[in-house]
Amino acid sequence: MKNKEQLNKTLWHNISVKEAVSLLGSDVKQGVNKNEVDFRKKNYGQNKMIKAKKFSLVKTFLSQFNSPLIYLLIFASIVTFMMKEYTDSIVIGLSVLANAFFGFGEEMKVSRVFAKLHSALKTTATVIRGGHKKEVLQEDLVVGDLIILRTGDKVPADGRVIFSENLQISEAILTGESETSPKVTRKLSEETQLADRENMVYMGSLVEAGKGSALVTAVGESTQVGDIAFLLKETEELKSPLQKKIAKLGRFIGAIVVALVGVLFVGGLLRGDSPLETFEAAVAIAVGGVPESLPIVVTVILAIGMERLLRKKGLVRKMNSIETLGSASVICFDKTKTLTQGKMELDQLIADNKILATKIGVICNEAYVENPDEKFDDWIINGAPTDKALFLMGAKKKIFGISFAEKSQEILKLSFDFHHKFQASLIRENQKLFIYAVGAPEKLLERSINKAGWQEKSEKLAEQGLRIVGLAYKEIKKIPENPKALREQTKGLTFVGLAGLKDPLREGIKKAIDKTRRAGIEPIIITGDQTKTALFIAQEAGIQVGAHQVLEGRDLDGMSESQLKKTVHNFKIYVRAEPRHKIRIVNAWQKNGKVVAMVGDGVNDAPAIKQADIGIAVGSGTEIAKEASDLVLLNDSFDIIIEAVAEGRTILNNLRKSIAYVLSDSFASIIVVGVAKVVFGWPLPILPVQILWNNFIEDTLPTIAYAFEPPEKGIMKKKAETIKTSLLTKEMKILIFVVGIIEQFIILFMFWLLWVRLGWDLAYVRTLMFGFFALDTAFVIYSFKDLNRNIWQIDLFNNKWLNSASIFVVVAFLSTIYVPFLQVLIKTVPIDLKGWLILGGIIFTNISLIEITKYIFIIRRKRGR
């Protein structure tokens, strides 16, 4: 017997049963000698999988700190502590912790440990060892074991078929195909692809009909499912586009802070101040301008988006991925059980006598109802997919197999076999004998007396991507002695009709694909199916595609990574695709700068789901696919994908609104305080306690309220952003820095005019400066409400949370200047009418500058510049 490595390289489908028995050191009747089991476990491995990583509370909590923006805040907290600014240090530190606990809580709420890849191995398998049949734990199977397979069994390991009696196995979990694989024992050609290896069985597949036996050729990690598990483990989980953009933003803010510290430090030195004192003052001022609330705002906006999708039955498993789908430019679909329902269903029935044709399909059938006493809608029907589809063919006409129990009697049954390709039942009905036959049209036509025209009709149905089943009958006078004699009697049949079966599209999938395409997202189909079927499904789903845009798995194998990267955009459908192909396709799109979503349901989809920028699993799919995903469609509705795209784009818009406002406000305090103190040597225009009040009391609620902004008009008509698109757009940078700097120098001018020039009371002037920063929030937030339209073009009051936040800001400021104990705490004085007019004028000027800038960008966009 060969060693493990040699066995794993063997092409089992390309050798005979006799050769397989010899290589495995087994026996087709006796199986493995029970004394060899321990030896085989030790040398060829156990039937166990790679265990899924356990969910780590500590790792999840620490991951909340993994952002350059958080690093900056931690650094700011440390610096302020060392400078004995303990209040600032504690407040910044608490903001970091609050963000971490909030994000940790949200991820804990939706986290699911889907470690089902190995838990399935707690079931049992029937084997023959030493000539004796016995039940063993599935994990105790060894290479060479002779396993018995019956209808309803899950295949416990990979194996070479040595006996098949109408053995039909659903391998959708592995290949993605909805049709069952009819099992044979003969040797197949070396080039036969995985989905066509009908002399092999694979772990995790389901026996839909018949019975058979196989010799175990691979166990555990050496199986096809094991290869997928290894591929899944080795697939690197990429950072989401949002994580990359936030990291880039953090580095950008850090660079700006360092630059400002340098400018303020040089300015102080030029004035002749002490280098050490100047440096400490510059650092303190810059740290004071760090946007402490920004991480919390980002987390809250993402969390609210998660909650909104959850209410629509979309479970977001990873918070940072919620925005990603809004940026997706390519969405890859598996076909079976993703685009389609994963079950066969009657599409067309062509027959002169449709009642008779329906009766034949229903009666000559091995499907059965588990609970016939229940209502029809509650029936549980078992059997091969074709049998179940034919059994349900009579639903509209109320013709069910069980309703014939009183009128008819099945006397003899001829089971389907893959040589003759039909099955037949001898029925006694009203004292007459009938043979009802169902099977491949060409085989039944060979035995029929009325062949004319039926072959052409069958070919037309086949061109539509349908699975064709022929229906025929014959009246006889005498009961045949045995099944062999019954088969002889099937000559001279009357061909009745053709049933065209298909795996129907999921409800709403055509509409969903149309919407994704109009949103600038390219739909791609990746399937294990044949070209003809895939093309028909694509066209039915509304994807316009030609045969030249289809690539087969074996052709993909012949392409290098660079070739695939260059040509991947030429193909819309990939057929006969295996898990390794799916990863390569997703990766090729990503190398072209696309944000890729992958939708799937099976074990074979899991590696690609994990590789994609956002992996989407169907709720009824395998636990492994859901474990690898970022988004789970709980009710299998593809409408959720559209909702998620819109939600992702809305989240990105709302993040930009919050970031633009927060950064403009944070850098404002740096400029005003820094230039006044370090450059001109003036007293602080606004006190540290007033800055803290403004940052945490006045700013936090308005920025969080942006999370509740409804989608902007036409959001689904915009093109998807590329992964290189910055979180800070050109317009945002202008608003934050150019317009912001102009505004702050206006404030500095007012401070100089009122305090230096006119000699007004310093406390009163500081209150006015504090008032500008506070009240400006209450009104400017409406300018940042829509960065693509002017304030007079939008519905200002459609966000009740923003309205409430604006009112809160005004009330909070009024409290600080008119409530005695807050006047003492915040160091303010009451403002008279003259002061209010000045505040109003400055705020109006600020809003005008923002709206003029927005208007210029709007005009430029309309002109295509």
Side-chain angles (χ1 to χ4, degrees), residues 774-791:
L775 290 180
D776 189 55
T777 297
F779 300 100
V780 168
I781 54 175
Y782 290 103
S783 282
F784 284 98
K785 183 177 168 65
D786 192 328
L787 299 177
N788 299 306
R789 291 185 295 169
N790 285 114
I791 199 169

Side-chain angles (χ1 to χ4, degrees), residues 69 242 246 293-303 320 655 659:
L69 193 56
L242 180 62
I246 292 290
S293 63
L294 187 55
I296 297 176
V297 169
V298 171
T299 302
V300 169
I301 289 176
L302 293 175
N320 282 310
L655 277 174
I659 289 168

Side-chain angles (χ1 to χ4, degrees), residues 214-233:
L215 288 174
V216 174
T217 56
V219 294
E221 296 174 18
S222 298
T223 63
Q224 289 292 330
V225 171
D227 287 345
I228 294 174
F230 179 77
L231 196 60
L232 186 62
K233 183 181 178 184

Side-chain angles (χ1 to χ4, degrees), residues 43-59:
N43 289 275
Y44 298 99
Q46 291 184 287
N47 201 23
K48 292 183 177 180
M49 285 295 173
I50 305 167
K51 290 189 176 181
K53 293 180 181 179
K54 291 185 176 179
F55 183 77
S56 171
L57 295 177
V58 174
K59 187 176 179 180

